[in-house]
Structures are given as structure tokens and as C-alpha cells.
Amino acid sequence: MCNADIPTLKVQRLRASARLPVRATPGSSGLDLYADLGGAGETLNLTAMPQLIGTGIAVEPPPGYEVQVRPRSGLSRQGVVVAFGTIDSDYRGEVLVDMAFRGDPGRSFPIRHGDRIAQLVVAPVLRTEVLEVDELTTTDRGSSGFGSSGR
């Protein structure tokens, strides 16, 4: 049942083995996203070479929103890298997660069917116009970047 005051993320299960995303706690910003490798017992090994991991679902964000694919902190601590991704409001294909393992060379990290591999965050998108200008407003920081504001 959906509350009319809360935007709804529509989710389509593309395979019977897929799990729908769920919020782990009431205060969680993201919805846990699960690996769909075809069924119980299926496993793959992450290496340093990035791999696209299927989830078995497609999503339809509410109008004016996007869906962000973000890493899970528990996996990051173990050396698993998840590329931040954006699912645009008009994309209807399978949600894939770009993952790799940055641990010791020659080692791998197992991903099993049904493992929580990433999280989805639904966020509003501000629509803007693009205006070409000859000059931008000056600031104290200017063009200093990549660590220039301190540690």
C-alpha cells in the first residue's frame, strides 16, 4: 500500500529469483540492493577487473526524481568498490551494479546470489537552464580544487 503523500519508486521484478530492494531500518537513507545471479547457490568472484552484477529488477523513479546506486559501507571496508551510478527517470532496463575488488592482487571476493551489494537512494532532481556567460562571479576559492580547502 502506498501513501499518497510519499513519492513512490516503482520496481519491476525481471526474474523470479530477484529480491525487491528494502530499507534495513526506518532511518536508512538507502534501500538495500541484492545480487541476482540466477538462484540459490550461485556465486561469482570479484577481482580487480570491474564487473556488472545483475539485480533482476528495473525501476521507475517518481517524476522529478533520480535513483542513485551507492556503495554499502560494510563492503567498502572489505575492499569492495562499487561505482556510484545514476539511474535516469526514463531508463527502464535492469539495474546493474559496477563492482570490483581492490584487495590483495591475486585474491578475489565472493558475491553470492541474494547478497546485499549496494544501495539505492531516491533523490530529487532540480531542472535547470544552461546560460552561457563571458565571466563567472568571483569567489575567494576561485579555481582551487582537489584538496585545496584543507584536510
Side-chain angles (χ1 to χ4, degrees), residues 2 4 9 13 34 51 73 79 89 99 112 117 139 141:
C2 294
L9 175 67
R13 198 183 312 244
Y34 299 89
Q51 297 179 58
S73 59
S89 64
M99 301 180 77
R112 293 171 189 82
I117 58 172
T139 66
R141 182 175 182 177

Side-chain angles (χ1 to χ4, degrees), residues 24 31-33 70-78 80 82 115-119:
L31 299 153
D32 286 335
L33 191 57
R70 297 186 182 183
R72 294 187 62 244
S73 59
L75 286 178
S76 296
R77 269 194 352 254
Q78 298 178 66
V80 175
V82 171
D115 281 354
R116 293 180 299 164
I117 58 172
Q119 57 184 322

Side-chain angles (χ1 to χ4, degrees), residues 66-141:
E66 66 164 337
V67 176
Q68 301 168 0
V69 177
R70 297 186 182 183
R72 294 187 62 244
S73 59
L75 286 178
S76 296
R77 269 194 352 254
Q78 298 178 66
V80 175
V81 177
V82 171
F84 183 94
T86 297
I87 301 170
D88 293 314
S89 64
D90 55 354
Y91 175 70
R92 294 296 182 271
E94 181 175 5
V95 174
L96 300 171
V97 180
D98 187 353
M99 301 180 77
F101 181 59
R102 65 170 161 56
D104 296 331
R107 287 195 49 227
S108 62
F109 186 90
I111 297 291
R112 293 171 189 82
H113 174 78
D115 281 354
R116 293 180 299 164
I117 58 172
Q119 57 184 322
L120 296 179
V121 174
V122 180
V125 173
L126 179 62
R127 305 303 293 184
T128 61
E129 297 290 327
V130 175
L131 174 65
E132 183 179 9
V133 296
D134 293 327
E135 196 173 294
L136 299 175
T137 307
T138 58
T139 66
D140 290 340
R141 182 175 182 177

Side-chain angles (χ1 to χ4, degrees), residues 30-52:
L31 299 153
D32 286 335
L33 191 57
Y34 299 89
D36 182 60
L37 305 179
E42 296 296 321
T43 301
L44 63 81
N45 289 309
L46 290 178
T47 63
M49 181 63 64
Q51 297 179 58
L52 293 176

